[in-house]
Amino acid sequence: LLLFSSSINAWSTGQWDITQLNNPVSCILLTTAIAMKLGLIPFHFWFPEVLQGSPLTTAMLLSTVMKFPPLTILFMTSPSLDPTLLTAMAISSTALGGWMGLNQTQIRKILAFSSISHLGWMAIILIYNPKLTLLTFYMYCLMTITV
């Protein structure tokens, strides 16, 4: 989806730069691609099950280090993203991540739903203050690695 978004933008504008997307379809596709990689709602179904079946070290790496590249792309392309779609995904991720984590007794699933909820907070903060998103991500990583 990331390459498809870039191809659509290059076809309509003649530039391969994904940090300045002008085509609305490519903006929506880029937002969707990053949300899918991060595990935001509605693309979150894979994350709790994968974390549940993995050892704690792997779960820690999936929850922290593997989120860094898509968050970097999200940070770089934040002016080009669709703010309405990102806001809807962020609010639903924050609400459902917290709500679904309440009924869990297994630590890996609690961490997975915590990750979904925290990524929702990061996505909503990104719209207003991108540098604060980095601070939020660093604090999230510190808390997750500690657990």
Side-chain angles (χ1 to χ4, degrees):
L1 284 176
L2 183 68
L3 290 174
F4 189 52
S5 168
S6 179
S7 298
I8 289 174
N9 189 56
W11 188 31
S12 65
T13 64
Q15 297 179 10
W16 283 97
D17 188 15
I18 66 167
T19 59
Q20 298 174 353
L21 298 178
N22 297 325
N23 191 339
V25 174
S26 61
C27 291
I28 290 173
L29 282 174
L30 180 67
T31 306
T32 305
I34 294 171
M36 192 178 298
K37 175 64 178 153
L38 286 172
L40 287 173
I41 302 271
F43 308 110
H44 71 288
F45 295 110
W46 67 272
F47 196 61
E49 297 304 319
V50 168
L51 245 61
Q52 181 59 35
S54 61
L56 278 176
T57 306
T58 306
M60 183 217 27
L61 290 173
L62 280 173
S63 296
T64 57
V65 177
M66 297 305 292
K67 301 289 183 192
F68 192 68
L71 274 174
T72 303
I73 294 172
L74 191 70
F75 186 75
M76 287 179 15
T77 61
S78 62
S80 301
L81 298 175
D82 185 15
T84 307
L85 180 63
L86 193 61
T87 301
M89 286 183 192
I91 290 172
S92 59
S93 291
T94 302
L96 285 175
W99 184 47
M100 293 172 74
L102 287 176
N103 199 24
Q104 300 301 320
T105 58
Q106 301 162 342
I107 190 72
R108 289 181 189 94
K109 282 207 176 179
I110 293 171
L111 285 173
F113 289 119
S114 168
S115 175
I116 292 168
S117 181
H118 281 93
L119 284 169
W121 285 113
M122 287 180 228
I124 198 73
I125 292 170
L126 181 77
I127 296 169
Y128 301 108
N129 190 352
K131 291 187 179 184
L132 189 58
T133 302
L134 289 177
L135 178 66
T136 307
F137 179 66
Y138 295 146
M139 292 300 294
Y140 164 74
C141 287
L142 183 67
M143 290 185 308
T144 303
I145 289 170
T146 304
V147 172

